[in-house]
Amino acid sequence: MTSKSNLDQTSSSPQPLIQRPIRVGPMPRYRSREEMYAVRAQKNRSLLMYTGAVIITFLGLTYAAVPLYRLFCSATGFAGTPSTRTQAASGPEFPEWMPEWLKTLLSPSTTAEDRFAPSRLIAVDPADNPKSRRFKVTFSSSTSTALPWTFRPAQHHVYVLPGESSLAFYTAKNNSKDDIIGVATYNVTPDRIAPYFSKIECFCFDEQKLLGSEIVDMPLLFFIDKDVLDDPSCRNVEDVVLSYTFFKARRNQQGQLEPDAPEDVIQKSLGFESYELAKKASDESSKGAPRD
Amino acid sequence: MSFGRPPSINSGFKVSPPDRGSFPLDHYAECKEQMMLYINCLKSNSSTSTACQELSKGYLHCRMNRGLMQQEDWESLGLANTGKSAASGKDSRDNPMSSSPASNS
């Protein structure tokens, strides 16, 4: 019942009692079983080749996806990909055999605009661009309650032009007698100007160790990118508040947790106050040879 | 803080590290005089940064000399257009903004 009409045309054999698979096209004629096997083997081999090629292609695409994605992200700035010049200077991990043109093509910051290029660091004079105006950048500071530092800006505010790099200072005083490591983070208000606020060099995000009762001046070099003049949402912005907050650092440079209490207090809490401790390799006062 | 929310104006802010990294701490106050000159200049010029760019150059020059800052040319720091070029051999860019009128150097 399911036999197709082409079966009737081609074969002179009697009607099959078992159902045959539906075949499109004329039935191939083989002289022998070996020939049929050979043809089928050939077809299997070519299918294997195609499948292997597809697998290898997709494996290769998986590997190529990383630099391709990087290219795409830096070209479109998607998902906030930062574009700093020093990132390119540190250099991604390209093998040596790669030609230079390929390396520059695949490195992220070539396609992205360079925020810190020298051409962006030229002040926009109101004589050149009537939209240009001075922004009043007010400095604010705060510390975490666990940090016994006095942290103040050295100047209350500064009037800057877009594109002009300016220097500002903060003063930090360690009010305790112990060496304390602090880490600063910053915030810029209003939020709409934050993408244009760029710091060339500052003291944030790095652990700063202040010795006991020490006073230190911390500089900060920043500028407001001149594209802020073209941003319609920023056209009424005149005041910018830059605030830094210092926190107590809990980890040292090796990423190890550091105690935030004096050593004797810690040892007492562990029950070792009557024991003599071995000197640490990082102990500055130790006169022994370094461990490594 | 909240993942997957639609972008708003506030979402434009991403805390980013500084380009050149962090200034080493000036533990011995080696460049404090330049800093005080700069602060006083700001006070006398109604906190306008353009007038005091020469002194900020002086401060950064002091830092570079004492090894408290990486050696950089003024162009890459945006301080090339204040007339005199300091340590670097690069010539200052021709800039429509003339050299600062009220610098106290």
Side-chain angles (χ1 to χ4, degrees), chain B residues 13-58:
Chain B
F13 178 64
K14 283 166 183 53
V15 172
S16 58
D19 185 42
R20 306 284 198 283
S22 166
F23 278 118
L25 280 185
D26 187 3
H27 284 284
Y28 303 109
E30 291 165 10
C31 296
K32 195 169 169 103
E33 291 124 36
Q34 272 85 356
M35 184 197 109
M36 292 317 299
L37 280 174
Y38 179 74
I39 302 283
N40 292 335
C41 166
L42 277 186
K43 284 185 192 155
S44 55
N45 286 57
S46 63
S47 306
T48 311
S49 71
T50 315
C52 305
Q53 279 206 318
E54 270 299 322
L55 290 170
S56 60
K57 271 175 83 167

mmCIF file of all heavy atoms in Angstrom, chain B residues 13-58:
data_model
loop_
_atom_site.group_PDB
_atom_site.id
_atom_site.type_symbol
_atom_site.label_atom_id
_atom_site.label_comp_id
_atom_site.label_asym_id
_atom_site.label_seq_id
_atom_site.Cartn_x
_atom_site.Cartn_y
_atom_site.Cartn_z
ATOM 1 N N PHE B 13 27.655 55.588 35.037
ATOM 2 C CA PHE B 13 28.831 55.758 35.884
ATOM 3 C C PHE B 13 29.460 54.421 36.173
ATOM 4 O O PHE B 13 28.846 53.549 36.757
ATOM 5 C CB PHE B 13 28.434 56.445 37.197
ATOM 6 C CG PHE B 13 29.600 56.582 38.112
ATOM 7 C CD1 PHE B 13 30.671 57.359 37.744
ATOM 8 C CD2 PHE B 13 29.651 55.919 39.302
ATOM 9 C CE1 PHE B 13 31.771 57.493 38.569
ATOM 10 C CE2 PHE B 13 30.740 56.033 40.136
ATOM 11 C CZ PHE B 13 31.799 56.827 39.772
ATOM 12 N N LYS B 14 30.689 54.269 35.771
ATOM 13 C CA LYS B 14 31.431 53.076 36.121
ATOM 14 C C LYS B 14 32.739 53.540 36.712
ATOM 15 O O LYS B 14 33.476 54.280 36.099
ATOM 16 C CB LYS B 14 31.702 52.225 34.867
ATOM 17 C CG LYS B 14 30.469 51.455 34.447
ATOM 18 C CD LYS B 14 30.631 50.899 33.053
ATOM 19 C CE LYS B 14 29.390 50.187 32.585
ATOM 20 N NZ LYS B 14 28.166 50.981 32.686
ATOM 21 N N VAL B 15 32.983 53.107 37.896
ATOM 22 C CA VAL B 15 34.222 53.500 38.551
ATOM 23 C C VAL B 15 35.376 52.873 37.794
ATOM 24 O O VAL B 15 35.418 51.662 37.608
ATOM 25 C CB VAL B 15 34.186 53.023 40.019
ATOM 26 C CG1 VAL B 15 35.506 53.245 40.664
ATOM 27 C CG2 VAL B 15 33.108 53.752 40.762
ATOM 28 N N SER B 16 36.276 53.695 37.351
ATOM 29 C CA SER B 16 37.342 53.158 36.502
ATOM 30 C C SER B 16 38.693 53.507 37.100
ATOM 31 O O SER B 16 38.845 54.519 37.762
ATOM 32 C CB SER B 16 37.230 53.742 35.102
ATOM 33 O OG SER B 16 37.302 55.144 35.167
ATOM 34 N N PRO B 17 39.671 52.677 36.867
ATOM 35 C CA PRO B 17 40.996 52.983 37.402
ATOM 36 C C PRO B 17 41.633 54.123 36.622
ATOM 37 O O PRO B 17 41.273 54.367 35.465
ATOM 38 C CB PRO B 17 41.763 51.669 37.189
ATOM 39 C CG PRO B 17 41.066 50.987 36.096
ATOM 40 C CD PRO B 17 39.632 51.380 36.178
ATOM 41 N N PRO B 18 42.562 54.822 37.212
ATOM 42 C CA PRO B 18 43.199 55.922 36.504
ATOM 43 C C PRO B 18 44.116 55.395 35.416
ATOM 44 O O PRO B 18 44.606 54.276 35.483
ATOM 45 C CB PRO B 18 43.986 56.634 37.596
ATOM 46 C CG PRO B 18 44.206 55.611 38.628
ATOM 47 C CD PRO B 18 43.030 54.700 38.582
ATOM 48 N N ASP B 19 44.366 56.237 34.437
ATOM 49 C CA ASP B 19 45.106 55.788 33.280
ATOM 50 C C ASP B 19 46.538 55.418 33.628
ATOM 51 O O ASP B 19 47.054 54.402 33.191
ATOM 52 C CB ASP B 19 45.087 56.888 32.219
ATOM 53 C CG ASP B 19 45.740 56.434 30.948
ATOM 54 O OD1 ASP B 19 45.500 55.292 30.546
ATOM 55 O OD2 ASP B 19 46.495 57.218 30.358
ATOM 56 N N ARG B 20 47.207 56.273 34.364
ATOM 57 C CA ARG B 20 48.615 56.016 34.669
ATOM 58 C C ARG B 20 48.775 55.314 36.009
ATOM 59 O O ARG B 20 49.870 55.186 36.508
ATOM 60 C CB ARG B 20 49.416 57.315 34.745
ATOM 61 C CG ARG B 20 49.324 58.190 33.556
ATOM 62 C CD ARG B 20 50.159 57.676 32.406
ATOM 63 N NE ARG B 20 50.380 58.730 31.446
ATOM 64 C CZ ARG B 20 49.472 59.149 30.565
ATOM 65 N NH1 ARG B 20 48.318 58.596 30.524
ATOM 66 N NH2 ARG B 20 49.752 60.141 29.752
ATOM 67 N N GLY B 21 47.685 54.929 36.610
ATOM 68 C CA GLY B 21 47.819 54.249 37.889
ATOM 69 C C GLY B 21 47.837 55.220 39.041
ATOM 70 O O GLY B 21 47.248 56.289 38.990
ATOM 71 N N SER B 22 48.546 54.830 40.051
ATOM 72 C CA SER B 22 48.482 55.570 41.292
ATOM 73 C C SER B 22 49.807 56.262 41.555
ATOM 74 O O SER B 22 50.872 55.704 41.303
ATOM 75 C CB SER B 22 48.132 54.579 42.398
ATOM 76 O OG SER B 22 48.359 55.144 43.627
ATOM 77 N N PHE B 23 49.749 57.482 42.082
ATOM 78 C CA PHE B 23 50.958 58.190 42.488
ATOM 79 C C PHE B 23 51.566 57.493 43.695
ATOM 80 O O PHE B 23 50.862 57.181 44.644
ATOM 81 C CB PHE B 23 50.612 59.618 42.931
ATOM 82 C CG PHE B 23 50.456 60.596 41.814
ATOM 83 C CD1 PHE B 23 49.254 61.218 41.596
ATOM 84 C CD2 PHE B 23 51.532 60.933 41.017
ATOM 85 C CE1 PHE B 23 49.110 62.151 40.585
ATOM 86 C CE2 PHE B 23 51.399 61.868 40.007
ATOM 87 C CZ PHE B 23 50.178 62.468 39.790
ATOM 88 N N PRO B 24 52.861 57.292 43.715
ATOM 89 C CA PRO B 24 53.471 56.783 44.947
ATOM 90 C C PRO B 24 53.370 57.854 46.031
ATOM 91 O O PRO B 24 53.354 59.051 45.739
ATOM 92 C CB PRO B 24 54.931 56.528 44.569
ATOM 93 C CG PRO B 24 54.984 56.586 43.105
ATOM 94 C CD PRO B 24 53.828 57.407 42.634
ATOM 95 N N LEU B 25 53.329 57.400 47.249
ATOM 96 C CA LEU B 25 53.142 58.352 48.341
ATOM 97 C C LEU B 25 54.424 59.137 48.587
ATOM 98 O O LEU B 25 55.523 58.580 48.573
ATOM 99 C CB LEU B 25 52.769 57.608 49.622
ATOM 100 C CG LEU B 25 51.319 57.184 49.746
ATOM 101 C CD1 LEU B 25 51.086 56.580 51.100
ATOM 102 C CD2 LEU B 25 50.391 58.340 49.528
ATOM 103 N N ASP B 26 54.254 60.401 48.850
ATOM 104 C CA ASP B 26 55.381 61.283 49.114
ATOM 105 C C ASP B 26 55.612 61.294 50.613
ATOM 106 O O ASP B 26 55.215 62.220 51.315
ATOM 107 C CB ASP B 26 55.020 62.678 48.579
ATOM 108 C CG ASP B 26 56.192 63.636 48.643
ATOM 109 O OD1 ASP B 26 57.283 63.207 49.041
ATOM 110 O OD2 ASP B 26 55.995 64.809 48.299
ATOM 111 N N HIS B 27 56.275 60.266 51.114
ATOM 112 C CA HIS B 27 56.384 60.119 52.569
ATOM 113 C C HIS B 27 57.232 61.204 53.194
ATOM 114 O O HIS B 27 57.024 61.557 54.347
ATOM 115 C CB HIS B 27 56.989 58.752 52.910
ATOM 116 C CG HIS B 27 56.020 57.622 52.747
ATOM 117 N ND1 HIS B 27 55.024 57.367 53.644
ATOM 118 C CD2 HIS B 27 55.890 56.698 51.774
ATOM 119 C CE1 HIS B 27 54.319 56.315 53.235
ATOM 120 N NE2 HIS B 27 54.821 55.896 52.105
ATOM 121 N N TYR B 28 58.225 61.701 52.471
ATOM 122 C CA TYR B 28 59.153 62.662 53.051
ATOM 123 C C TYR B 28 58.816 64.090 52.662
ATOM 124 O O TYR B 28 59.630 64.975 52.873
ATOM 125 C CB TYR B 28 60.582 62.309 52.628
ATOM 126 C CG TYR B 28 60.941 60.903 53.039
ATOM 127 C CD1 TYR B 28 61.068 59.901 52.091
ATOM 128 C CD2 TYR B 28 61.093 60.576 54.379
ATOM 129 C CE1 TYR B 28 61.366 58.610 52.464
ATOM 130 C CE2 TYR B 28 61.388 59.282 54.758
ATOM 131 C CZ TYR B 28 61.526 58.302 53.806
ATOM 132 O OH TYR B 28 61.808 57.025 54.176
ATOM 133 N N ALA B 29 57.645 64.287 52.085
ATOM 134 C CA ALA B 29 57.175 65.644 51.729
ATOM 135 C C ALA B 29 58.209 66.355 50.882
ATOM 136 O O ALA B 29 58.490 67.524 51.063
ATOM 137 C CB ALA B 29 56.825 66.453 52.976
ATOM 138 N N GLU B 30 58.781 65.663 49.905
ATOM 139 C CA GLU B 30 59.840 66.264 49.098
ATOM 140 C C GLU B 30 59.311 67.330 48.173
ATOM 141 O O GLU B 30 60.023 68.234 47.785
ATOM 142 C CB GLU B 30 60.522 65.164 48.271
ATOM 143 C CG GLU B 30 61.333 64.210 49.118
ATOM 144 C CD GLU B 30 61.683 62.951 48.348
ATOM 145 O OE1 GLU B 30 61.469 62.915 47.129
ATOM 146 O OE2 GLU B 30 62.146 62.001 48.972
ATOM 147 N N CYS B 31 58.086 67.224 47.770
ATOM 148 C CA CYS B 31 57.544 68.173 46.809
ATOM 149 C C CYS B 31 56.505 69.075 47.454
ATOM 150 O O CYS B 31 55.641 69.600 46.765
ATOM 151 C CB CYS B 31 56.936 67.423 45.616
ATOM 152 S SG CYS B 31 58.160 66.499 44.697
ATOM 153 N N LYS B 32 56.616 69.242 48.750
ATOM 154 C CA LYS B 32 55.570 69.992 49.428
ATOM 155 C C LYS B 32 55.600 71.468 49.050
ATOM 156 O O LYS B 32 54.565 72.120 49.016
ATOM 157 C CB LYS B 32 55.734 69.836 50.937
ATOM 158 C CG LYS B 32 54.490 70.284 51.645
ATOM 159 C CD LYS B 32 54.511 69.913 53.102
ATOM 160 C CE LYS B 32 53.383 70.612 53.821
ATOM 161 N NZ LYS B 32 52.280 69.718 54.084
ATOM 162 N N GLU B 33 56.816 72.006 48.770
ATOM 163 C CA GLU B 33 56.859 73.446 48.457
ATOM 164 C C GLU B 33 56.117 73.748 47.170
ATOM 165 O O GLU B 33 55.373 74.725 47.081
ATOM 166 C CB GLU B 33 58.302 73.917 48.294
ATOM 167 C CG GLU B 33 59.098 73.922 49.565
ATOM 168 C CD GLU B 33 60.343 73.079 49.404
ATOM 169 O OE1 GLU B 33 60.907 73.085 48.292
ATOM 170 O OE2 GLU B 33 60.724 72.432 50.376
ATOM 171 N N GLN B 34 56.345 72.874 46.170
ATOM 172 C CA GLN B 34 55.622 73.085 44.920
ATOM 173 C C GLN B 34 54.127 72.967 45.149
ATOM 174 O O GLN B 34 53.332 73.680 44.540
ATOM 175 C CB GLN B 34 56.046 72.051 43.873
ATOM 176 C CG GLN B 34 57.234 72.435 43.051
ATOM 177 C CD GLN B 34 58.505 72.069 43.764
ATOM 178 O OE1 GLN B 34 58.467 71.596 44.891
ATOM 179 N NE2 GLN B 34 59.616 72.283 43.113
ATOM 180 N N MET B 35 53.761 72.057 46.018
ATOM 181 C CA MET B 35 52.336 71.896 46.282
ATOM 182 C C MET B 35 51.778 73.158 46.936
ATOM 183 O O MET B 35 50.705 73.639 46.559
ATOM 184 C CB MET B 35 52.122 70.702 47.215
ATOM 185 C CG MET B 35 50.664 70.416 47.447
ATOM 186 S SD MET B 35 50.400 69.380 48.851
ATOM 187 C CE MET B 35 49.703 70.497 50.001
ATOM 188 N N MET B 36 52.502 73.726 47.897
ATOM 189 C CA MET B 36 51.989 74.935 48.560
ATOM 190 C C MET B 36 51.944 76.103 47.591
ATOM 191 O O MET B 36 51.017 76.910 47.626
ATOM 192 C CB MET B 36 52.870 75.276 49.763
ATOM 193 C CG MET B 36 52.786 74.286 50.912
ATOM 194 S SD MET B 36 51.098 73.752 51.295
ATOM 195 C CE MET B 36 50.329 75.270 51.741
ATOM 196 N N LEU B 37 52.930 76.179 46.705
ATOM 197 C CA LEU B 37 52.892 77.243 45.686
ATOM 198 C C LEU B 37 51.638 77.108 44.833
ATOM 199 O O LEU B 37 50.953 78.094 44.535
ATOM 200 C CB LEU B 37 54.124 77.132 44.773
ATOM 201 C CG LEU B 37 55.447 77.693 45.284
ATOM 202 C CD1 LEU B 37 56.546 77.353 44.291
ATOM 203 C CD2 LEU B 37 55.352 79.196 45.457
ATOM 204 N N TYR B 38 51.358 75.877 44.449
ATOM 205 C CA TYR B 38 50.185 75.652 43.610
ATOM 206 C C TYR B 38 48.904 76.009 44.345
ATOM 207 O O TYR B 38 48.023 76.673 43.796
ATOM 208 C CB TYR B 38 50.172 74.173 43.164
ATOM 209 C CG TYR B 38 48.994 73.793 42.316
ATOM 210 C CD1 TYR B 38 48.906 74.189 40.986
ATOM 211 C CD2 TYR B 38 47.960 73.024 42.842
ATOM 212 C CE1 TYR B 38 47.827 73.838 40.210
ATOM 213 C CE2 TYR B 38 46.881 72.668 42.059
ATOM 214 C CZ TYR B 38 46.822 73.075 40.754
ATOM 215 O OH TYR B 38 45.739 72.728 39.974
ATOM 216 N N ILE B 39 48.812 75.589 45.606
ATOM 217 C CA ILE B 39 47.580 75.868 46.360
ATOM 218 C C ILE B 39 47.403 77.376 46.544
ATOM 219 O O ILE B 39 46.299 77.911 46.407
ATOM 220 C CB ILE B 39 47.623 75.153 47.730
ATOM 221 C CG1 ILE B 39 47.798 73.654 47.556
ATOM 222 C CG2 ILE B 39 46.403 75.469 48.540
ATOM 223 C CD1 ILE B 39 46.576 72.930 47.158
ATOM 224 N N ASN B 40 48.518 78.051 46.827
ATOM 225 C CA ASN B 40 48.402 79.514 47.005
ATOM 226 C C ASN B 40 48.032 80.196 45.705
ATOM 227 O O ASN B 40 47.283 81.175 45.696
ATOM 228 C CB ASN B 40 49.719 80.071 47.536
ATOM 229 C CG ASN B 40 49.966 79.601 48.951
ATOM 230 O OD1 ASN B 40 49.023 79.289 49.667
ATOM 231 N ND2 ASN B 40 51.226 79.526 49.344
ATOM 232 N N CYS B 41 48.581 79.676 44.610
ATOM 233 C CA CYS B 41 48.218 80.251 43.314
ATOM 234 C C CYS B 41 46.730 80.080 43.056
ATOM 235 O O CYS B 41 46.070 80.995 42.581
ATOM 236 C CB CYS B 41 49.033 79.543 42.216
ATOM 237 S SG CYS B 41 48.435 79.843 40.552
ATOM 238 N N LEU B 42 46.217 78.915 43.379
ATOM 239 C CA LEU B 42 44.785 78.685 43.185
ATOM 240 C C LEU B 42 43.981 79.668 44.009
ATOM 241 O O LEU B 42 42.992 80.232 43.544
ATOM 242 C CB LEU B 42 44.411 77.255 43.609
ATOM 243 C CG LEU B 42 44.619 76.116 42.627
ATOM 244 C CD1 LEU B 42 44.045 74.846 43.202
ATOM 245 C CD2 LEU B 42 43.966 76.411 41.293
ATOM 246 N N LYS B 43 44.412 79.895 45.248
ATOM 247 C CA LYS B 43 43.646 80.799 46.114
ATOM 248 C C LYS B 43 43.663 82.205 45.553
ATOM 249 O O LYS B 43 42.661 82.920 45.599
ATOM 250 C CB LYS B 43 44.248 80.805 47.520
ATOM 251 C CG LYS B 43 43.907 79.583 48.314
ATOM 252 C CD LYS B 43 44.413 79.682 49.734
ATOM 253 C CE LYS B 43 44.316 78.335 50.397
ATOM 254 N NZ LYS B 43 45.237 78.146 51.492
ATOM 255 N N SER B 44 44.814 82.611 45.021
ATOM 256 C CA SER B 44 44.890 83.999 44.561
ATOM 257 C C SER B 44 44.243 84.171 43.200
ATOM 258 O O SER B 44 43.926 85.285 42.812
ATOM 259 C CB SER B 44 46.352 84.457 44.510
ATOM 260 O OG SER B 44 47.088 83.564 43.709
ATOM 261 N N ASN B 45 44.042 83.093 42.461
ATOM 262 C CA ASN B 45 43.425 83.207 41.144
ATOM 263 C C ASN B 45 42.002 82.720 41.139
ATOM 264 O O ASN B 45 41.516 82.251 40.115
ATOM 265 C CB ASN B 45 44.237 82.397 40.124
ATOM 266 C CG ASN B 45 45.520 83.069 39.778
ATOM 267 O OD1 ASN B 45 46.310 83.352 40.646
ATOM 268 N ND2 ASN B 45 45.725 83.344 38.519
ATOM 269 N N SER B 46 41.339 82.805 42.262
ATOM 270 C CA SER B 46 39.944 82.371 42.424
ATOM 271 C C SER B 46 39.751 80.957 41.898
ATOM 272 O O SER B 46 38.804 80.670 41.177
ATOM 273 C CB SER B 46 38.973 83.343 41.747
ATOM 274 O OG SER B 46 39.178 83.392 40.360
ATOM 275 N N SER B 47 40.682 80.101 42.253
ATOM 276 C CA SER B 47 40.574 78.657 41.988
ATOM 277 C C SER B 47 40.402 78.323 40.521
ATOM 278 O O SER B 47 39.722 77.366 40.175
ATOM 279 C CB SER B 47 39.407 78.047 42.776
ATOM 280 O OG SER B 47 39.522 78.335 44.121
ATOM 281 N N THR B 48 41.013 79.107 39.673
ATOM 282 C CA THR B 48 40.951 78.797 38.244
ATOM 283 C C THR B 48 42.188 78.001 37.880
ATOM 284 O O THR B 48 43.305 78.447 38.090
ATOM 285 C CB THR B 48 40.918 80.090 37.416
ATOM 286 O OG1 THR B 48 39.926 80.933 37.969
ATOM 287 C CG2 THR B 48 40.597 79.798 35.986
ATOM 288 N N SER B 49 41.978 76.831 37.317
ATOM 289 C CA SER B 49 43.137 75.962 37.145
ATOM 290 C C SER B 49 44.040 76.403 35.996
ATOM 291 O O SER B 49 45.224 76.092 35.983
ATOM 292 C CB SER B 49 42.673 74.529 36.918
ATOM 293 O OG SER B 49 42.106 74.429 35.652
ATOM 294 N N THR B 50 43.493 77.146 35.046
ATOM 295 C CA THR B 50 44.306 77.531 33.891
ATOM 296 C C THR B 50 45.477 78.394 34.307
ATOM 297 O O THR B 50 46.584 78.270 33.775
ATOM 298 C CB THR B 50 43.444 78.312 32.895
ATOM 299 O OG1 THR B 50 42.208 77.646 32.749
ATOM 300 C CG2 THR B 50 44.123 78.411 31.564
ATOM 301 N N ALA B 51 45.244 79.252 35.293
ATOM 302 C CA ALA B 51 46.282 80.188 35.691
ATOM 303 C C ALA B 51 47.442 79.487 36.366
ATOM 304 O O ALA B 51 48.542 80.023 36.422
ATOM 305 C CB ALA B 51 45.664 81.218 36.629
ATOM 306 N N CYS B 52 47.215 78.319 36.904
ATOM 307 C CA CYS B 52 48.246 77.685 37.728
ATOM 308 C C CYS B 52 48.838 76.464 37.068
ATOM 309 O O CYS B 52 49.417 75.612 37.744
ATOM 310 C CB CYS B 52 47.645 77.305 39.081
ATOM 311 S SG CYS B 52 46.894 78.709 39.894
ATOM 312 N N GLN B 53 48.692 76.368 35.773
ATOM 313 C CA GLN B 53 49.200 75.160 35.119
ATOM 314 C C GLN B 53 50.712 75.078 35.181
ATOM 315 O O GLN B 53 51.274 73.973 35.275
ATOM 316 C CB GLN B 53 48.743 75.127 33.657
ATOM 317 C CG GLN B 53 47.336 74.620 33.529
ATOM 318 C CD GLN B 53 47.074 73.986 32.184
ATOM 319 O OE1 GLN B 53 47.504 74.507 31.160
ATOM 320 N NE2 GLN B 53 46.396 72.871 32.182
ATOM 321 N N GLU B 54 51.389 76.218 35.137
ATOM 322 C CA GLU B 54 52.853 76.184 35.225
ATOM 323 C C GLU B 54 53.300 75.559 36.542
ATOM 324 O O GLU B 54 54.250 74.779 36.585
ATOM 325 C CB GLU B 54 53.414 77.615 35.140
ATOM 326 C CG GLU B 54 53.725 78.078 33.747
ATOM 327 C CD GLU B 54 54.780 77.236 33.062
ATOM 328 O OE1 GLU B 54 55.745 76.806 33.739
ATOM 329 O OE2 GLU B 54 54.624 76.975 31.867
ATOM 330 N N LEU B 55 52.596 75.929 37.623
ATOM 331 C CA LEU B 55 52.991 75.391 38.920
ATOM 332 C C LEU B 55 52.661 73.911 39.032
ATOM 333 O O LEU B 55 53.385 73.163 39.696
ATOM 334 C CB LEU B 55 52.294 76.178 40.023
ATOM 335 C CG LEU B 55 52.833 77.590 40.136
ATOM 336 C CD1 LEU B 55 51.963 78.409 41.049
ATOM 337 C CD2 LEU B 55 54.252 77.565 40.641
ATOM 338 N N SER B 56 51.583 73.493 38.388
ATOM 339 C CA SER B 56 51.303 72.050 38.434
ATOM 340 C C SER B 56 52.373 71.300 37.663
ATOM 341 O O SER B 56 52.801 70.217 38.052
ATOM 342 C CB SER B 56 49.911 71.743 37.902
ATOM 343 O OG SER B 56 49.773 72.157 36.578
ATOM 344 N N LYS B 57 52.865 71.922 36.584
ATOM 345 C CA LYS B 57 53.991 71.321 35.878
ATOM 346 C C LYS B 57 55.206 71.222 36.797
ATOM 347 O O LYS B 57 55.930 70.227 36.795
ATOM 348 C CB LYS B 57 54.355 72.154 34.656
ATOM 349 C CG LYS B 57 53.610 71.754 33.409
ATOM 350 C CD LYS B 57 53.912 72.675 32.275
ATOM 351 C CE LYS B 57 55.180 72.328 31.575
ATOM 352 N NZ LYS B 57 55.293 73.038 30.292
ATOM 353 N N GLY B 58 55.415 72.296 37.562
ATOM 354 C CA GLY B 58 56.544 72.298 38.482
ATOM 355 C C GLY B 58 56.433 71.177 39.506
ATOM 356 O O GLY B 58 57.417 70.499 39.816
#
